[in-house]
Amino acid sequence: QVQLVESGGGLVQPGGSLRLSCAASGFTFSNYAMSWYRQAPGKERELVASITSFGGITNYANSVKGRFTISRDNAKNTVYLQMNSLKPEDTAVYYCKTSLWRDFWGQGTQVTVSS
């Protein structure tokens, strides 16, 4: 079955960095685009970044452009989100998603940016 498992979240000070990973299984990973979303308390889930199947095209929310980088390793069936210069407003649960015949989501990983 399709599974997406995020990891790498945690508590970090403002200005710090984290790298999130999303390990995929149950489908042909290299055939599908992948996305990272986040949801802060009391807010709607929002798209953070997306990447095409072979990584040729990436897109970012304006709020993270220049600070976050999405990448993928198709040999490892893993998509990454490198987050630099983190701000308190980046605090959220981060989810990876893929769209096959329907959307599949991971369980999420908490990122907290606080001093």
Side-chain angles (χ1 to χ4, degrees):
Q1 69 276 26
V2 175
Q3 282 194 318
L4 300 173
V5 180
E6 300 97 337
S7 61
L11 173 64
V12 63
Q13 292 186 343
S17 298
L18 282 175
R19 188 176 83 152
L20 306 184
S21 300
C22 172
S25 61
F27 64 103
T28 305
F29 180 76
S30 59
N31 285 356
Y32 294 92
M34 298 294 298
S35 302
W36 284 97
Y37 283 73
R38 67 186 181 187
Q39 187 166 21
K43 295 189 176 182
E44 293 188 355
R45 194 171 295 191
E46 64 173 353
L47 176 65
V48 175
S50 63
I51 187 167
T52 52
S53 58
F54 283 93
I57 299 174
T58 57
N59 285 293
Y60 298 92
N62 287 336
S63 58
V64 307
K65 277 182 183 176
R67 300 187 298 121
F68 290 11
T69 303
I70 188 171
S71 62
R72 64 190 296 159
D73 185 338
N74 287 345
K76 295 183 178 179
N77 288 358
T78 301
V79 61
Y80 304 98
L81 186 68
Q82 178 67 44
M83 306 186 295
N84 299 329
S85 301
L86 282 160
K87 304 175 181 180
E89 51 264 43
D90 295 317
T91 295
V93 178
Y94 284 71
Y95 301 89
C96 63
K97 189 200 89 169
T98 192
S99 297
L100 307 181
W101 62 91
R102 66 169 178 86
D103 290 344
F104 287 87
W105 297 85
Q107 83 288 351
T109 186
Q110 175 70 48
V111 172
T112 302
V113 185
S114 175
S115 55

